[in-house]
Amino acid sequence: MVQIHIPPSLSPPTPPAAGILFALGGGVILSVNDLAIKALSGDYALHQVILIRAFVGMAIVLSLMAYSRRGFAQIRTGRWREHLLRVGIVMVSNVTYFLGLSALPLADAVATAFISPLLITMMSALVLREYVGPRRWAAVAVGMLGVLVMVRPGSGVIQPAAILVLISAFCYASSNLMTRQMRDTESAATLSFYVQVGFIVVSSAMGLWVGDGHLAQSDGVLVFLFRPWVLPPLQDWWAFAATGGAVGVGGLMMSQAYRTTEAALVAPFEYIGMPMAIFWGVVVFGTWPDHHAWVGIALICGAGLYTLWRETVHKKQVDVAAPSGDI
């Protein structure tokens, strides 16, 4: 059978519903990652968790590549500088988020991190030159207000962990904008492959340096970073498998969403993770958000949902599909 190659410029556009579904599915699956990391944060070093997670995620990415149209040829890239920068940004986002997550209630941490879709909306206008109208800007402002309500600066109760989560949100937004910029040549599998490679290399180096626990006397959130490596008992392997599988599958879905659909349209759908975080926090950890957190959650999610409503009513057209057409 003769195969016909479709040049990138002739690839058919992807309907916006596909990107929206990828974002919704990715958000639900990635909430399992937050649950698993939170469950492991009391007993294991963060770099040990990330290393095991990266091996599981890498197995998923390589399996997908093996059955995809381009196969392992997707590993070849001429944009290694961009990959190196993006991997570094993703690493900072992960480390700061999980350090903050270890010290905050699950729903509070996720709600604070959900400033990132608003940052993506703002940065898509400034960096990608995508149109952001006055109503979207108003939604960004309301979401920022929600974050201020949650972290309460100047009240004497602001937590360093919340600042770490805000740093993570900025890095996460930046990494998704890079995904958008690299979509013309890099598939979602390629992007995920190099992220997993970076996690494996850096986590292995951290294990060799501090895996014996000689810096474990650190206090606060840093204890999660420097405690010694231990052999996980059988009853904890579900969490390691869950975090690896969630990042492997959910990360691919989210990358595909941002590759194929306008960033400012995709971002609000990530708010599906908020009710999931409240659900996991109540069911697994028995924690409810306090009244300040509920106000902040309402403002942040309300801003995102308003943006979603506006996009639905006006039926915005999707941007040009990712040229390669690959996952």
Side-chain angles (χ1 to χ4, degrees):
M1 180 181 294
V2 179
Q3 292 185 335
I4 300 175
H5 174 69
I6 301 177
S9 60
L10 299 180
S11 296
T14 301
I20 290 169
L21 289 175
F22 274 122
L24 286 172
V28 171
I29 294 172
L30 287 173
S31 75
V32 177
N33 174 63
D34 293 345
L35 164 66
I37 293 288
K38 182 72 174 175
L40 294 169
S41 64
D43 299 305
Y44 300 96
L46 177 58
H47 40 90
Q48 180 184 9
V49 175
I50 289 179
L51 179 62
I52 297 173
R53 185 188 76 172
F55 277 120
V56 176
M58 179 66 83
I60 293 172
V61 171
L62 292 177
S63 298
L64 178 64
M65 282 186 174
Y67 290 98
S68 67
R69 178 172 59 85
R70 292 173 57 200
F72 295 111
Q74 295 174 75
I75 294 175
R76 292 196 299 268
T77 181
R79 306 182 71 170
W80 62 269
R81 291 182 182 85
E82 289 98 323
H83 278 291
L84 186 61
L85 176 60
R86 182 175 178 273
V87 168
I89 292 172
V90 171
M91 284 185 179
V92 173
S93 176
N94 273 253
V95 171
T96 51
Y97 178 65
F98 293 133
L99 287 177
L101 180 64
S102 68
L104 291 171
L106 181 60
D108 289 26
V110 172
T112 305
F114 271 161
I115 194 66
S116 61
L118 301 174
L119 290 174
I120 290 170
T121 300
M122 180 171 60
M123 294 166 67
S124 68
L126 300 177
V127 179
L128 300 181
R129 304 299 181 186
E130 295 178 350
Y131 175 73
V132 178
R135 292 180 176 84
R136 280 191 189 172
W137 285 118
V140 169
V142 172
M144 293 287 190
L145 177 61
V147 172
L148 291 176
V149 170
M150 293 196 67
V151 301
R152 285 165 273 174
S155 64
V157 298
I158 188 170
Q159 297 190 56
I163 301 300
L164 288 173
V165 175
L166 289 175
I167 293 171
S168 172
F170 176 79
C171 292
Y172 178 76
S174 300
S175 70
N176 279 329
L177 290 183
M178 287 201 69
T179 298
R180 192 86 180 126
Q181 291 176 320
M182 298 170 69
R183 67 191 176 123
D184 56 338
T185 60
E186 313 301 292
S187 69
T190 306
L191 294 165
S192 290
F193 173 82
Y194 285 106
V195 167
Q196 303 303 339
V197 168
F199 279 137
I200 290 171
V201 171
V202 173
S203 296
S204 298
M206 283 290 293
L208 292 173
W209 176 38
V210 299
D212 60 354
H214 71 275
L215 295 180
Q217 65 271 19
S218 300
D219 296 324
V221 296
L222 291 181
V223 70
F224 186 24
L225 189 61
F226 294 122
R227 66 166 59 104
W229 284 27
V230 296
L231 181 65
L234 187 61
Q235 63 265 26
D236 286 346
W237 276 102
W238 73 268
F240 285 102
T243 184
V247 167
V249 177
L252 281 167
M253 293 177 73
M254 204 62 75
S255 292
Q256 186 70 354
Y258 279 100
R259 285 179 67 248
T260 60
T261 310
E262 185 183 344
L265 174 57
V266 170
F269 289 91
E270 293 197 48
Y271 286 102
I272 187 66
M274 190 64 254
M276 294 302 302
I278 295 174
F279 173 79
W280 293 126
V282 172
V283 172
V284 179
F285 302 107
T287 57
W288 282 88
D290 63 19
H291 64 280
H292 284 98
W294 277 117
V295 173
I297 289 170
L299 289 171
I300 294 171
C301 292
L305 292 173
Y306 173 75
T307 303
L308 167 60
W309 174 78
R310 286 282 304 171
E311 299 295 345
T312 303
V313 169
H314 290 274
K315 299 179 179 179
K316 276 186 64 66
Q317 289 188 338
V318 69
D319 198 358
V320 178
S324 72
D326 289 315
I327 291 293

